[in-house]
PDB file of all heavy atoms in Angstrom:
ATOM      1  N   GLY A  78     -77.311 -95.610   8.604  1.00 88.00           N
ATOM      2  CA  GLY A  78     -77.702 -95.853   7.238  1.00 88.00           C
ATOM      3  C   GLY A  78     -76.588 -95.531   6.274  1.00 88.00           C
ATOM      4  O   GLY A  78     -75.440 -95.397   6.670  1.00 88.00           O
ATOM      5  N   GLU A  79     -76.938 -95.383   5.024  1.00 88.00           N
ATOM      6  CA  GLU A  79     -75.962 -95.111   3.965  1.00 88.00           C
ATOM      7  C   GLU A  79     -76.406 -93.917   3.154  1.00 88.00           C
ATOM      8  O   GLU A  79     -77.588 -93.624   3.045  1.00 88.00           O
ATOM      9  CB  GLU A  79     -75.830 -96.334   3.040  1.00 88.00           C
ATOM     10  CG  GLU A  79     -75.453 -97.608   3.774  1.00 88.00           C
ATOM     11  CD  GLU A  79     -75.496 -98.817   2.826  1.00 88.00           C
ATOM     12  OE1 GLU A  79     -76.436 -98.873   2.004  1.00 88.00           O
ATOM     13  OE2 GLU A  79     -74.613 -99.685   2.948  1.00 88.00           O
ATOM     14  N   LEU A  80     -75.445 -93.261   2.552  1.00 92.00           N
ATOM     15  CA  LEU A  80     -75.741 -92.232   1.539  1.00 92.00           C
ATOM     16  C   LEU A  80     -75.663 -92.907   0.187  1.00 92.00           C
ATOM     17  O   LEU A  80     -74.636 -93.467  -0.193  1.00 92.00           O
ATOM     18  CB  LEU A  80     -74.725 -91.095   1.627  1.00 92.00           C
ATOM     19  CG  LEU A  80     -75.006 -90.071   2.737  1.00 92.00           C
ATOM     20  CD1 LEU A  80     -73.867 -89.091   2.847  1.00 92.00           C
ATOM     21  CD2 LEU A  80     -76.311 -89.316   2.487  1.00 92.00           C
ATOM     22  N   LYS A  81     -76.758 -92.891  -0.528  1.00 94.00           N
ATOM     23  CA  LYS A  81     -76.848 -93.603  -1.796  1.00 94.00           C
ATOM     24  C   LYS A  81     -77.071 -92.643  -2.959  1.00 94.00           C
ATOM     25  O   LYS A  81     -77.647 -91.588  -2.789  1.00 94.00           O
ATOM     26  CB  LYS A  81     -77.992 -94.605  -1.745  1.00 94.00           C
ATOM     27  CG  LYS A  81     -77.858 -95.633  -0.642  1.00 94.00           C
ATOM     28  CD  LYS A  81     -79.049 -96.574  -0.628  1.00 94.00           C
ATOM     29  CE  LYS A  81     -78.908 -97.622   0.478  1.00 94.00           C
ATOM     30  NZ  LYS A  81     -80.059 -98.565   0.500  1.00 94.00           N
ATOM     31  N   GLY A  82     -76.614 -93.072  -4.115  1.00 96.00           N
ATOM     32  CA  GLY A  82     -76.855 -92.273  -5.326  1.00 96.00           C
ATOM     33  C   GLY A  82     -76.337 -90.855  -5.171  1.00 96.00           C
ATOM     34  O   GLY A  82     -75.187 -90.625  -4.841  1.00 96.00           O
ATOM     35  N   LEU A  83     -77.247 -89.906  -5.391  1.00 97.00           N
ATOM     36  CA  LEU A  83     -76.877 -88.474  -5.269  1.00 97.00           C
ATOM     37  C   LEU A  83     -77.495 -87.851  -4.010  1.00 97.00           C
ATOM     38  O   LEU A  83     -77.739 -86.643  -3.978  1.00 97.00           O
ATOM     39  CB  LEU A  83     -77.349 -87.708  -6.503  1.00 97.00           C
ATOM     40  CG  LEU A  83     -76.830 -88.210  -7.857  1.00 97.00           C
ATOM     41  CD1 LEU A  83     -77.223 -87.246  -8.955  1.00 97.00           C
ATOM     42  CD2 LEU A  83     -75.320 -88.454  -7.840  1.00 97.00           C
ATOM     43  N   GLU A  84     -77.747 -88.644  -2.979  1.00 96.00           N
ATOM     44  CA  GLU A  84     -78.347 -88.131  -1.755  1.00 96.00           C
ATOM     45  C   GLU A  84     -77.494 -87.083  -1.043  1.00 96.00           C
ATOM     46  O   GLU A  84     -77.999 -86.347  -0.213  1.00 96.00           O
ATOM     47  CB  GLU A  84     -78.626 -89.286  -0.801  1.00 96.00           C
ATOM     48  CG  GLU A  84     -79.769 -90.182  -1.224  1.00 96.00           C
ATOM     49  CD  GLU A  84     -79.969 -91.346  -0.278  1.00 96.00           C
ATOM     50  OE1 GLU A  84     -79.141 -91.572   0.620  1.00 96.00           O
ATOM     51  OE2 GLU A  84     -80.988 -92.053  -0.439  1.00 96.00           O
ATOM     52  N   PHE A  85     -76.214 -87.017  -1.387  1.00 97.00           N
ATOM     53  CA  PHE A  85     -75.341 -86.012  -0.758  1.00 97.00           C
ATOM     54  C   PHE A  85     -75.627 -84.619  -1.303  1.00 97.00           C
ATOM     55  O   PHE A  85     -75.238 -83.615  -0.702  1.00 97.00           O
ATOM     56  CB  PHE A  85     -73.883 -86.354  -0.960  1.00 97.00           C
ATOM     57  CG  PHE A  85     -73.480 -86.586  -2.384  1.00 97.00           C
ATOM     58  CD1 PHE A  85     -73.045 -85.561  -3.175  1.00 97.00           C
ATOM     59  CD2 PHE A  85     -73.526 -87.852  -2.936  1.00 97.00           C
ATOM     60  CE1 PHE A  85     -72.677 -85.731  -4.482  1.00 97.00           C
ATOM     61  CE2 PHE A  85     -73.166 -88.077  -4.254  1.00 97.00           C
ATOM     62  CZ  PHE A  85     -72.730 -87.022  -5.049  1.00 97.00           C
ATOM     63  N   LEU A  86     -76.334 -84.499  -2.428  1.00 97.00           N
ATOM     64  CA  LEU A  86     -76.711 -83.206  -2.959  1.00 97.00           C
ATOM     65  C   LEU A  86     -77.996 -82.716  -2.280  1.00 97.00           C
ATOM     66  O   LEU A  86     -78.801 -83.531  -1.840  1.00 97.00           O
ATOM     67  CB  LEU A  86     -76.922 -83.291  -4.468  1.00 97.00           C
ATOM     68  CG  LEU A  86     -75.699 -83.634  -5.299  1.00 97.00           C
ATOM     69  CD1 LEU A  86     -76.091 -83.837  -6.755  1.00 97.00           C
ATOM     70  CD2 LEU A  86     -74.632 -82.561  -5.167  1.00 97.00           C
ATOM     71  N   PRO A  87     -78.184 -81.405  -2.164  1.00 95.00           N
ATOM     72  CA  PRO A  87     -79.409 -80.872  -1.545  1.00 95.00           C
ATOM     73  C   PRO A  87     -80.665 -81.419  -2.230  1.00 95.00           C
ATOM     74  O   PRO A  87     -80.689 -81.581  -3.463  1.00 95.00           O
ATOM     75  CB  PRO A  87     -79.270 -79.365  -1.742  1.00 95.00           C
ATOM     76  CG  PRO A  87     -77.801 -79.129  -1.881  1.00 95.00           C
ATOM     77  CD  PRO A  87     -77.261 -80.346  -2.576  1.00 95.00           C
ATOM     78  N   PRO A  88     -81.720 -81.686  -1.483  1.00 93.00           N
ATOM     79  CA  PRO A  88     -82.941 -82.292  -2.040  1.00 93.00           C
ATOM     80  C   PRO A  88     -83.545 -81.483  -3.225  1.00 93.00           C
ATOM     81  O   PRO A  88     -84.100 -82.087  -4.119  1.00 93.00           O
ATOM     82  CB  PRO A  88     -83.897 -82.284  -0.846  1.00 93.00           C
ATOM     83  CG  PRO A  88     -83.013 -82.323   0.348  1.00 93.00           C
ATOM     84  CD  PRO A  88     -81.808 -81.499  -0.029  1.00 93.00           C
TER      85      PRO A  88
END
Side-chain angles (χ1 to χ4, degrees):
E79 303 174 320
L80 280 173
K81 301 178 179 182
L83 304 188
E84 289 177 350
F85 54 89
L86 295 174

